[in-house]
Amino acid sequence: MASVVFGQRNLLAFHLRRNKLDELSRYGPFSCSIQRRWKKPVDSARTRLEGRTRDHRLDKLMTQLKNLRLALDLHELISQQRNSYASLQLLSRWRHEIGLNLEIGAFLKKYPHIFNIYVHPIKRSECCKVTTRMTDLIAEEDVVIRENEPSVVKRLKKLLMLSKDGSLNTHALWLIRRELGLPDDYRCSILSNHQSGFSLGSPDTLTLATTDENLAIANVEEWRAKEYTEKWLAESETKYAFPINFPTGFKIEKGFREKLGNWQRLPYTKPYEKNGLHPICNVERLEKRIVGILHEFLSLTVERMIPLERLSHFRRPFDMEVNLRELILKHPGIFYISTKGSTQTVLLRESYSKGCLIEPNPVYNVRRKMLGLILSGCRGIDEMDSATWVSEEHNQESAT
């Protein structure tokens, strides 16, 4: 109708005038021809996390470890059931509680070296049982942890010596028990066997009873001594330096090497030295001290990694009152934050090569065998033998 009244040409001119008026009303009559002001991009911990140089091997490792953790959580749920098996219908109700977004049957069938799926001879429903290989490895891990009790005690003492007053919350320690290689009942087993070294206070506080000065040597100090003797470097170059290992593809900007060299030579109060005796007023030295504490903290873990959210429980005891994620992102040659898996995880870059720990320990070796079952997938599975074994075992259970 408008085209009949105004005509096609007049209607086009009307739309052009209307667009011009809208532009004038938006920017004003004196600013319609002026360029819009350029806004500086936001530089925050979140944007740096998204724009960081990724380490694909470590990200791949974290994805694999996530699947292993899901398998271990399912094992814990299945082992709590009578006869140590559970129906797939029951497991499907729990999958969201352990963070499994995949359909339960599809996940279990991906790892036949860990889970056996069968039809129950009496209930006629699909059930799942953990394989003997996996249960043996879980039992082996528990044995290895208890056999390495002296190293666990040493690790706990060094961790308590890192704190300001030599004490830590037992709940915070329980949250990172797997990272530290502690047994689930460490309060009853380890602490009760070493009452002369530890004391439990109230409320739920673990305190170091006696301090061993021989333990007050950070892991990075051993690396510095090795660099000084083997590479014939000057003492000023190694006295306060950290091992730097940038990920592949990391872009080094102009002036970066000079800044890094100055930071490496910057003195700081070392982790086991009490900060109260030598108060730090310089921000850079304070941040370098926190980097040293984080480096030592990660060095005390079994796999040289820890979830970022768990670090928040140790900020106050370790006197790390800064934004830890922002500080970690400032040092991509020392730490790496992986966002793969269910949470953000901090890893010590120097400890890994091609996705494997350079200096493995007994607990790590057992966990690596478990990860091997995840990586094996469906390879090397004789389905007929597996089905026969399951049916025979459950026939024996039903007979009894």
Side-chain angles (χ1 to χ4, degrees), residues 146-170:
R146 297 186 186 280
E147 287 179 351
N148 286 270
E149 186 172 314
S151 62
V152 173
V153 172
K154 178 182 176 181
R155 201 176 296 134
L156 267 179
K157 286 183 178 181
K158 289 175 74 72
L159 202 63
L160 289 167
M161 289 171 64
L162 283 176
S163 62
K164 291 186 296 185
D165 54 357
S167 62
L168 290 172
N169 186 273
T170 54

Side-chain angles (χ1 to χ4, degrees), residues 255-290:
F256 177 80
R257 293 183 186 275
E258 183 181 356
K259 291 180 181 179
L260 179 61
N262 294 334
W263 186 85
Q264 289 279 62
R265 291 186 291 271
L266 182 69
Y268 71 101
T269 306
K270 296 179 180 180
Y272 293 107
E273 296 177 2
K274 295 304 178 183
N275 195 21
L277 300 176
H278 307 283
I280 302 175
C281 300
N282 187 290
V283 176
E284 291 185 355
R285 292 189 180 186
L286 177 62
E287 288 186 351
K288 191 168 184 179
R289 170 177 166 79
I290 297 174

Side-chain angles (χ1 to χ4, degrees), residues 231-259:
K231 296 187 178 180
W232 296 83
L233 297 176
E235 186 180 0
S236 59
E237 296 291 330
T238 59
K239 189 175 181 180
Y240 300 104
F242 285 86
I244 303 295
N245 181 20
F246 291 111
T248 304
F250 181 79
K251 295 181 180 179
I252 298 178
E253 300 177 354
K254 184 178 180 181
F256 177 80
R257 293 183 186 275
E258 183 181 356
K259 291 180 181 179

Side-chain angles (χ1 to χ4, degrees), residues 27-296:
Y27 298 109
F30 302 105
S31 60
C32 60
S33 60
I34 299 176
Q35 276 190 333
R36 298 182 66 183
R37 185 177 179 180
W38 178 78
K39 291 185 178 180
K40 184 180 180 180
V42 178
D43 184 23
S44 63
R46 182 177 179 180
T47 56
R48 282 197 293 271
L49 181 64
E50 295 172 353
R52 76 195 187 285
T53 304
R54 299 180 183 274
D55 192 318
H56 298 290
R57 284 182 174 173
L58 291 181
D59 283 341
K60 185 178 180 181
L61 173 65
M62 295 311 303
T63 302
Q64 296 165 352
L65 289 177
K66 175 194 173 184
N67 294 330
L68 177 59
R69 290 191 189 97
L70 291 173
L72 291 173
D73 289 342
L74 284 172
H75 163 266
E76 187 176 354
L77 292 173
I78 294 172
S79 61
Q80 293 173 359
Q81 304 302 307
R82 189 176 63 178
N83 298 326
S84 298
Y85 74 88
S87 65
L88 265 63
Q89 183 179 6
L90 183 62
L91 291 177
S92 63
R93 301 174 188 171
W94 293 336
R95 66 187 183 94
H96 292 297
E97 296 181 9
I98 64 174
L100 181 61
N101 298 323
L102 190 65
E103 197 271 326
I104 188 68
F107 180 81
L108 296 176
K109 290 175 182 177
K110 286 172 64 177
Y111 308 112
H113 289 282
I114 300 177
F115 302 104
N116 273 324
I117 300 177
Y118 63 96
V119 178
H120 197 277
I122 298 176
K123 299 179 180 180
R124 297 299 176 185
S125 60
E126 281 192 313
C127 296
C128 174
K129 188 170 184 176
V130 181
T131 62
T132 306
R133 293 179 64 182
M134 187 63 179
T135 53
D136 288 347
L137 286 176
I138 293 173
E140 183 182 353
E141 181 190 15
D142 186 65
V143 171
V144 169
I145 287 175
R146 297 186 186 280
E147 287 179 351
N148 286 270
E149 186 172 314
S151 62
V152 173
V153 172
K154 178 182 176 181
R155 201 176 296 134
L156 267 179
K157 286 183 178 181
K158 289 175 74 72
L159 202 63
L160 289 167
M161 289 171 64
L162 283 176
S163 62
K164 291 186 296 185
D165 54 357
S167 62
L168 290 172
N169 186 273
T170 54
H171 178 68
L173 291 173
W174 188 84
L175 289 176
I176 60 169
R177 66 193 184 283
R178 181 171 175 81
E179 286 76 15
L180 293 176
L182 297 174
D184 291 341
D185 61 342
Y186 78 95
R187 294 185 62 171
C188 300
S189 58
I190 293 180
L191 299 185
S192 60
N193 295 336
H194 298 84
Q195 296 182 2
S196 60
F198 306 102
S199 63
L200 274 173
S202 179
D204 294 334
T205 303
L206 179 65
T207 306
L208 186 64
T210 57
T211 302
D212 187 358
E213 295 299 331
N214 294 326
L215 298 178
I217 301 174
N219 182 267
V220 72
E221 294 291 338
E222 300 176 3
W223 173 84
R224 288 168 183 164
K226 188 177 179 180
E227 290 287 299
Y228 177 72
T229 55
E230 292 184 0
K231 296 187 178 180
W232 296 83
L233 297 176
E235 186 180 0
S236 59
E237 296 291 330
T238 59
K239 189 175 181 180
Y240 300 104
F242 285 86
I244 303 295
N245 181 20
F246 291 111
T248 304
F250 181 79
K251 295 181 180 179
I252 298 178
E253 300 177 354
K254 184 178 180 181
F256 177 80
R257 293 183 186 275
E258 183 181 356
K259 291 180 181 179
L260 179 61
N262 294 334
W263 186 85
Q264 289 279 62
R265 291 186 291 271
L266 182 69
Y268 71 101
T269 306
K270 296 179 180 180
Y272 293 107
E273 296 177 2
K274 295 304 178 183
N275 195 21
L277 300 176
H278 307 283
I280 302 175
C281 300
N282 187 290
V283 176
E284 291 185 355
R285 292 189 180 186
L286 177 62
E287 288 186 351
K288 191 168 184 179
R289 170 177 166 79
I290 297 174
V291 168
I293 294 174
L294 285 174
H295 186 280
E296 181 66 8

